[in-house]
Amino acid sequence: MATSPIGTPRHSPSSTSLSSLDSAEGIDLQKVNGKMVDTYGNEFKLPDFTIKEIRDAIPAHCYQRSAARGLGYVARDIASLASVFYLFHNYVTPENIPSTMVRGALWALYTVIQGLFGTGLWILAHECGHQSFSPSKTLNDTVGWICHSALLVPYFSWKISHGKHHKATGHLERDMVFVPKTREQYASKLGYYVHEISELAEETPIVTAGSLIGQQLGGWLYYLTSNITGHNKHERQPEGRGKGKQNGLFRGVNHFNPSSPLYEAKDAKLIWLSDLGLAITLSVLCIIGAKYGMANLTVWYILPYLWVNHWLVAITFLQHTDPSLPHYEPHAWNFTRGAAATIDREFGFIGRQLLHGIVETHVLHHYVSTIPFYNADEASEAIKKVMGEHYRSDVEGGSIGFLKSLWKSARWCQWVEPSEGTDGEAKGVLFFRNRNGNGVPPRKLEVPASQL
């Protein structure tokens, strides 16, 4: 059973939490007016603990990293990928399985399995980027570069931008991934005035489904090539390289060009090294395609690669997009608050074994990213005592619940805005709202005199 930020059952019919409601009905707006309120209708309070308290609560042995253990997990994931390929290549053949339909179904299953094992390897390279893989930076970056390059990820380029995400999680002008649209941005995108948003009709489910499919199929590549979902305040880049550059294809903001405003001049060699890794992998794939045909390459690598991208985007989206999570304007943000603006979920055997716990221990990861994943469960339990009501998790339904959360977050979390009646610092704490009648309704804004 998931728990709400204030400790009440989130989906229980007997709960006083409003998260069990699928519409705005039943919410007493008079009682929540002037208070910070999440999309469920739960009152939100700013975190009041310190980073030192978080670190001190974690047992010392949780910080210990083992190169041998890390390499063992890399070997396990590579062996799993190789074994699955060997079994399917040698036994799922016309000689052994005459039915084309059955063979096709089995090879489709192959792409799913390889996608999961590939995602596991991706996550180990992610550990390398955070230096939680081993005590050796050289080993970490070598293993990370090799593994990520094999998965067509620009290792150092991503490592740098991802580090900035960790330093500014939940910051609306500095965060690097899944920065939500403000009400103003959402209205502008649809061609409406800000005050008109609260009157818009519900977004049709087919539109939501189309957006989700696009996000899951192409979101990762679009992010790498255009910084989509990252902040768009590049004019503040300290070296001036962000002037005139904006998120979007061919607008100068991407993970491949050393002159991108995502990086500083000192990063250039690392960006080129990342590009070299991609070039090597692409060359190998071209050779394989030329020798064995594009059809085989598509099944062997390209489709599993798309599955890896799907899981990566789903995991990241759900770590940072939930009706209970706040986002902060600059004057209201600090690191402690931002790191708490994440949520743990549950993905069962797949999450804990194949994906190395990245779904289940993400809150901890944002506070201390150098703790290796195999110590993260114990460390997570330790920090819950410090975080108290500020720790967020949604574990209801296990693996199925995790997948359902994709749809729920897409329907409930369309933009962020301040809570009704707030002022001062509280007005800089923004929560998700939507036009679909889910949870707390959008604020009613007066029509500006200029538009009367």
Side-chain angles (χ1 to χ4, degrees):
M1 181 72 69
T3 57
S4 78
I6 58 174
T8 53
R10 195 172 255 181
H11 296 289
S12 169
S14 63
S15 169
T16 57
S17 168
L18 298 170
S19 59
S20 58
L21 300 176
D22 287 328
S23 72
E25 296 178 3
I27 296 178
D28 188 341
L29 297 181
Q30 293 295 327
K31 289 185 178 181
V32 300
N33 188 50
K35 299 178 180 178
M36 294 180 289
V37 177
D38 69 17
T39 320
Y40 291 132
N42 295 316
E43 183 178 354
F44 176 81
K45 297 180 180 178
L46 292 168
D48 54 359
F49 51 87
T50 66
I51 298 299
K52 184 179 187 303
E53 289 174 321
I54 289 284
R55 288 185 168 275
D56 289 348
I58 299 171
H61 64 266
C62 290
Y63 292 94
Q64 295 176 4
R65 301 161 290 173
S66 168
R69 193 167 182 180
L71 289 169
Y73 279 106
V74 170
R76 187 201 76 172
D77 285 356
I78 292 176
S80 298
L81 287 162
S83 297
V84 170
F85 178 81
Y86 176 84
L87 289 172
F88 276 78
H89 183 65
N90 287 282
Y91 296 103
V92 184
T93 62
E95 293 78 16
N96 294 316
I97 304 175
S99 170
T100 301
M101 183 177 296
V102 173
R103 280 201 321 278
L106 287 172
W107 276 106
L109 177 62
Y110 163 91
T111 68
V112 176
I113 295 172
Q114 294 293 71
L116 288 170
F117 285 134
T119 304
L121 190 63
W122 199 109
I123 291 164
L124 292 177
H126 163 267
E127 292 266 304
C128 292
H130 282 291
Q131 306 304 308
S132 59
F133 184 79
S134 82
S136 169
K137 185 176 185 298
T138 300
L139 177 63
N140 293 338
D141 286 341
T142 300
V143 173
W145 180 77
I146 292 172
C147 292
H148 261 175
S149 294
L151 295 166
L152 291 178
V153 178
Y155 172 72
F156 291 103
S157 307
W158 167 84
K159 172 185 170 182
I160 294 167
S161 69
H162 187 67
K164 293 179 179 180
H165 158 61
H166 271 258
K167 292 176 181 177
T169 306
H171 193 299
L172 284 170
E173 296 188 3
R174 289 176 46 215
D175 201 352
M176 297 294 295
V177 64
F178 283 112
V179 179
K181 291 180 177 62
T182 62
R183 180 169 176 154
E184 291 76 13
Q185 292 167 336
Y186 185 83
S188 176
K189 178 185 176 183
L190 297 182
Y192 288 92
Y193 291 113
V194 175
H195 68 272
E196 296 176 317
I197 292 299
S198 59
E199 306 301 329
L200 291 183
E202 174 185 356
E203 179 178 270
T204 61
I206 194 169
V207 171
T208 306
S211 297
L212 262 182
I213 292 170
Q215 171 183 291
Q216 296 308 120
L217 282 177
W220 172 241
L221 289 175
Y222 198 18
Y223 174 69
L224 291 178
T225 55
S226 68
N227 197 48
I228 194 70
T229 83
H231 78 77
N232 203 20
K233 300 289 184 179
H234 305 297
E235 70 278 0
R236 300 179 182 177
Q237 205 276 345
E239 297 171 342
R241 55 174 60 199
K243 293 180 179 178
K245 296 180 179 179
Q246 298 218 345
N247 293 346
L249 292 173
F250 312 115
R251 293 185 179 181
V253 185
N254 60 65
H255 282 72
F256 309 107
N257 189 340
S259 65
S260 169
L262 300 179
Y263 311 110
E264 284 73 52
K266 63 181 177 62
D267 300 321
K269 291 182 180 179
L270 295 175
I271 309 307
W272 286 123
L273 185 56
S274 301
D275 293 345
L276 175 62
L278 300 182
I280 292 172
T281 299
L282 287 171
S283 297
V284 172
L285 292 175
C286 286
I287 292 171
I288 293 173
K291 184 172 182 178
Y292 298 102
M294 278 302 299
N296 281 328
L297 179 63
T298 298
V299 175
W300 292 346
Y301 184 93
I302 295 176
L303 292 179
Y305 166 77
L306 292 177
W307 275 112
V308 171
N309 292 358
H310 155 72
W311 290 121
L312 168 65
V313 172
I315 291 166
T316 309
F317 174 64
L318 291 178
Q319 287 167 340
H320 300 284
T321 310
D322 185 81
S324 69
L325 297 180
H327 284 76
Y328 297 92
E329 292 186 342
H331 70 276
W333 181 92
N334 62 40
F335 181 84
T336 303
R337 294 174 181 179
T342 56
I343 187 168
D344 288 341
R345 299 185 187 271
E346 177 62 51
F347 202 17
F349 174 83
I350 291 174
R352 294 188 175 276
Q353 300 301 321
L354 303 188
L355 305 186
H356 307 295
I358 196 170
V359 173
E360 294 79 10
T361 60
H362 193 69
V363 175
L364 166 79
H365 178 66
H366 266 273
Y367 278 111
V368 190
S369 60
T370 54
I371 289 180
F373 72 89
Y374 42 80
N375 292 334
D377 277 319
E378 181 180 359
S380 290
E381 289 302 315
I383 70 169
K384 288 179 186 178
K385 300 171 185 176
V386 176
M387 294 185 69
E389 64 180 342
H390 303 292
Y391 171 79
R392 283 166 175 72
S393 69
D394 186 354
V395 300
E396 185 172 355
S399 299
I400 300 302
F402 175 80
L403 296 175
K404 285 183 176 180
S405 293
L406 274 172
W407 179 257
K408 180 176 183 178
S409 290
R411 295 290 289 175
W412 284 63
C413 306
Q414 293 185 311
W415 71 85
V416 292
E417 63 178 51
S419 300
E420 188 78 47
T422 52
D423 54 20
E425 185 178 46
K427 195 171 183 179
V429 184
L430 281 59
F431 295 92
F432 286 108
R433 299 292 185 256
N434 61 81
R435 54 190 263 215
N436 299 324
N438 295 323
V440 175
R443 292 179 300 156
K444 300 284 186 180
L445 301 180
E446 295 182 2
V447 180
S450 61
Q451 297 170 19
L452 292 174

